[in-house]
């Protein structure tokens, strides 16, 4: 096979593996109760809470005809199908009830969600489809779209969800099979499922890597390079590297993403509670455990609002609901109050215009950041997202901050620059599904044009990453300095566009590792981590290793791989001086099962 014109990953054929039995999910029941008075309604003179969700939030009702709903879905898809770097942003909401005869095809920057407390409150007898016809059957650029909180009964028994990065599938119930590859089994690379039940079989086919967390599946068909599971009932047993399954029985700490729902006619935002050593879905045989907030406790932001107004709303005690659109910021959004929620709909996008940091979180408990994209501006930002101030050691274990479906893009939609994308200083922070991407295609790209040295910098102790995607940074994609850090699933590509060996030279070392654990760290652990190189500008470039860490008994890695895509550059080792080099054009991974 030839590589695509806009290159991403070369896909190997997939061999089927034995299916695993169905295992039922957890039962979870709780009432949605109001939270404390910290988010009380503002005074008459203050900014208002609640209000209209804006023109790009489209709400469907079961009383509407299937034809009218389908027409609107098709209209949005036609606009968004190929708009990879466009400005359109859409949130599709379905009120509880049953809908039939629908095929919701999702294009770029389109999110579809049910408005019940449980996915089973909103059933679509039909499909939510992501395919790759727009890109000649190549699904490796199907970014920035999501499905959440719905039950599906696929028309032909199988729903197609052929996505790449930044395309979460959360709180979904598929009463059938789920196919993760495009029509024709073309190239596919990406993937994240959480808090979902797939009654039938999950069929990755050509998907190279995938992470599934706290879910229930009937069975899993196959794997290519790196299929990782934590807390998934019905997952295939541990087998890496053959078959390529990394399976943890539970997820150490998890707290599901906040979501919008209807309580009668009132919009509320549900805040799921923290779980430890979890497995299975949170919504089991009833509603999830947690609390809820009225929409009146949120400042409902619209594109065009200033950073000053957003910060005034936060100062008043309101949370933020970012409706779909693009928000230009001339100052950081400052989250200084414990338990603040910043929730985006329809890939709401924050753009720092003058080199500022887009959003900063103080050293406080329980902040929830979810569902938005940060797009670097043309003036270099030192950082784009900061969770906590430098040097903090406050214990947040009882009520950690969560960063979920928060994505970063540098370049692609135009020249953008940022030295470091995401900095995590607060202890116990959970980064649950992120894609930090220095663009390798689109506009405004080039080794120095969209310069971005570091993707994720972790200084805080006891930080957990579940579903970490970081790609193409000029130096370290991940630099982890905090103690007792843990990562479950990591997907990486080194920057394609390095002009020569000298450009990536790291002192005496050839290239910067994709994932670097700080030299002073004594305890760290990772499971299911992969790094790929595709040095297409200069295929002679050599990368010493994909992973680098101090050699200590407390620093442990499980199921690592590096791979050269088509021989465009090579790795000498997997981690430190361990692991065989990649070679030739075979695109066969070099693996290390356990380190040290």
């Amino acid at each position: 096979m030839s590589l695509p014109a806009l290159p991403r990953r070369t896909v190997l054929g997939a061999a089927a593996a034995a299916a695993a039995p169905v295992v039922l999910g957890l039962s979870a029941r709780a009432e949605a109760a109001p939270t404390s008075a910290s988010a009380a309604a503002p005074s008459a003179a203050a900014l208002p809470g609640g209000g209209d969700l804006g023109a790009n939030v489209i709400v469907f009702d079961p009383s509407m005809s299937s034809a009218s709903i389908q027409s609107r879905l098709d209209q949005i898809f036609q606009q968004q199908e190929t708009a990879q770097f466009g400005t359109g942003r859409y949130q599709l909401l379905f009120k509880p009830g049953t809908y039939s005869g629908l095929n919701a095809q999702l294009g770029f920057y389109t999110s579809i969600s049910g408005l019940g407390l449980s996915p089973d409150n909103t059933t679509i007898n039909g499909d939510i489809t992501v395919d790759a016809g727009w890109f000649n059957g190549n699904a490796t650029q199907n970014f920035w779209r999501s499905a959440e909180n719905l039950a599906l009964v696929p028309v032909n028994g199988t729903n197609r969800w052929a996505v790449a990065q930044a395309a979460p599938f959360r709180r979904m119930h598929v009463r059938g099979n789920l196919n993760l590859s495009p029509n024709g089994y073309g190239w596919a690379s990406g993937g994240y499922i959480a808090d979902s039940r797939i009654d039938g079989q999950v069929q990755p086919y050509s998907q190279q890597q995938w992470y599934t967390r706290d879910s229930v599946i009937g069975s899993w068909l196959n794997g290519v390079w790196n299929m990782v599971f934590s807390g998934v009932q019905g997952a295939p047993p541990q087998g890496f590297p053959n078959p390529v399954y990394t399976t943890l029985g539970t997820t150490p700490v998890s707290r599901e993403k906040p979501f919008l729902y209807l309580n009668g006619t009132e919009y509320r935002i549900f805040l799921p509670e923290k779980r430890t050593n979890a497995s299975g879905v949170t919504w089991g045989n009833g509603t999830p455990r947690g609390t809820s907030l009225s929409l009146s406790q949120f400042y409902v932001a619209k594109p065009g609002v200033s950073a000053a107004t957003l910060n005034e709303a936060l100062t008043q005690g309101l949370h933020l609901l970012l409706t779909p659109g693009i928000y230009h910021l001339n100052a950081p959004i400052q989250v200084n109050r414990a338990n603040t929620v910043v929730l985006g709909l329809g890939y709401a996008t924050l753009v720092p215009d003058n080199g500022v940091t887009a959003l900063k979180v103080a050293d406080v408990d329980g902040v929830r950041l979810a569902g938005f994209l940060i797009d670097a501006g043309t003036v270099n930002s030192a950082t784009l997202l900061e969770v906590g101030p430098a040097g903090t050691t406050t214990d947040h274990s009882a009520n950690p901050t969560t960063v979920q479906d928060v994505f970063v893009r540098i370049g692609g939609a135009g020249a953008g620059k940022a030295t470091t994308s995401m900095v995590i200083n607060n202890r116990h922070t959970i980064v649950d599904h992120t894609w930090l991407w220095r663009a390798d295609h689109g506009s405004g790209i080039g080794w120095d044009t969209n310069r971005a040295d570091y993707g994720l910098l972790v200084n805080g102790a006891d930080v957990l990453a579940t579903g970490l995607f970081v790609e193409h940074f000029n130096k370290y994609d991940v630099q982890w300095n905090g103690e007792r850090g843990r990562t479950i699933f990591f997907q990486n590509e080194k920057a394609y566009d390095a002009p020569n060996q000298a450009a990536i030279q790291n002192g005496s070392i050839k290239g910067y590792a994709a994932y670097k654990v700080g030299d002073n760290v004594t305890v760290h652990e990772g499971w299911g981590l992969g790094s790929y190189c595709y040095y297409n500008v200069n295929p002679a470039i050599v990368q010493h290793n994909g992973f680098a860490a101090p050699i200590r008994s407390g620093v442990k890695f499980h199921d690592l791989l590096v791979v050269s895509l088509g021989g465009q550059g090579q790795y000498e080792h997997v981690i430190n001086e361990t692991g065989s080099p990649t070679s030739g054009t075979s695109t066969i991974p070099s693996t290390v099962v356990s380190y040290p």
Side-chain angles (χ1 to χ4, degrees), residues 541-553:
I541 289 175
V542 174
Q543 178 82 26
H544 184 64
N545 50 33
F547 305 91
I551 303 171
R552 296 190 177 97
S553 60

Side-chain angles (χ1 to χ4, degrees), residues 4 18 20 31 59 64 67 110 114 123 146 160 162 183 283 300-301 309 374 392 395 436 443 445 458 510 554 560:
E31 295 182 0
V59 182
M64 299 171 66
T110 306
T123 299
S146 67
R160 185 181 302 280
N183 186 29
W283 42 274
V300 180
T309 299
I374 300 175
T392 177
D395 188 322
L436 312 179
S443 64
I445 62 167
V458 179
K510 299 173 185 174
L560 302 177

Side-chain angles (χ1 to χ4, degrees), residues 50-399:
D52 178 72
L53 296 178
N56 284 11
V57 176
I58 294 95
V59 182
F60 299 107
D61 187 284
S63 66
M64 299 171 66
S65 71
S66 295
S68 65
I69 296 173
Q70 189 66 54
S71 176
R72 188 72 172 108
L73 295 173
D74 291 346
Q75 179 187 27
I76 294 169
F77 177 65
Q78 184 178 17
Q79 176 182 319
Q80 298 301 114
E81 181 184 11
T82 63
Q84 182 171 178
F85 299 108
T87 58
R89 304 285 187 273
Y90 290 94
Q91 176 72 57
L92 312 176
L93 297 176
F94 285 75
K95 292 183 179 180
T98 301
Y99 303 79
S100 296
L102 301 180
N103 180 17
Q105 299 183 83
L106 298 188
F108 288 98
Y109 314 109
T110 306
S111 297
I112 187 169
S113 307
L115 285 171
L117 263 180
S118 166
D120 289 329
N121 295 149
T122 312
T123 299
I124 293 178
N125 292 307
D127 297 272
I128 297 175
T129 301
V130 178
D131 207 343
W134 75 278
F135 199 41
N136 301 314
N138 176 359
T140 61
Q141 291 181 29
N142 281 349
F143 314 138
W144 305 307
R145 62 202 76 195
S146 67
E148 184 173 349
N149 203 29
L150 289 159
L152 292 179
V153 184
V155 170
N156 295 316
T158 300
N159 189 77
R160 185 181 302 280
W161 185 256
V163 298
Q165 287 70 39
F169 198 79
R170 287 185 182 270
R171 294 178 53 76
M172 295 290 290
H173 185 186
V174 180
R175 298 175 191 162
N177 303 321
L178 185 64
N179 183 343
L180 305 178
S181 71
N183 186 29
Y185 307 100
W187 296 334
S189 179
Y192 174 91
I193 294 171
D195 200 22
S196 293
R197 182 189 294 271
I198 316 301
D199 291 347
Q201 185 178 66
V202 181
Q203 302 164 342
Y205 293 115
S206 54
Q207 280 285 357
Q208 292 162 324
Q209 68 281 321
W210 199 275
Y211 176 52
T212 308
R213 178 182 63 72
D214 295 358
S215 293
V216 181
I217 62 175
S219 62
W220 191 276
L221 176 63
N222 70 282
V224 177
W225 289 337
N226 185 19
M227 305 281 119
V228 180
F229 309 85
S230 68
V232 178
Q233 299 172 12
Q238 171 72 30
F240 189 89
N242 185 25
V244 293
Y245 301 138
T246 298
T247 303
L248 287 73
T250 61
T251 303
V253 188
S254 54
R255 189 175 69 191
E256 299 304 328
K257 174 179 172 285
F259 62 92
L260 190 69
Y261 75 102
L262 275 174
N263 181 24
T265 60
E266 179 197 16
Y267 282 110
R268 297 185 71 85
I269 287 81
F270 193 81
L271 308 178
E273 70 177 20
K274 187 188 74 170
R275 299 200 293 171
T276 56
N277 298 318
S279 109
V281 298
T282 63
W283 42 274
N285 296 321
T287 58
R289 294 186 177 94
T291 58
S292 73
L293 296 167
S294 169
L295 188 63
S296 66
Q297 294 170 280
F298 282 75
Y299 178 73
V300 180
K302 309 286 173 54
V305 69
S306 68
T309 299
L310 295 173
N311 284 323
E312 176 60 25
L314 291 169
T315 300
Q316 289 177 193
L318 292 169
H319 306 270
L320 296 182
L321 184 71
L322 305 173
T323 64
I326 297 174
Y327 296 75
H328 287 270
L329 305 173
N330 63 0
I333 299 172
Q334 299 273 0
V335 179
N336 297 324
R337 190 181 72 254
N339 302 310
T340 298
V341 179
V342 180
L343 176 62
L345 300 179
Y347 287 82
T349 302
L350 307 178
V351 182
D353 283 331
N354 54 354
V356 300
T357 298
L359 191 150
K360 294 184 178 183
V361 176
D363 187 9
V364 294
D365 273 357
V367 171
R368 304 181 195 230
L369 308 178
F372 56 89
L373 171 65
I374 300 175
D375 203 357
T378 55
V379 178
N380 186 73
S381 293
T383 59
L384 293 173
L385 175 67
E386 293 181 16
V387 178
T392 177
T393 59
T394 306
D395 188 322
H396 296 292
S397 57
N399 187 13

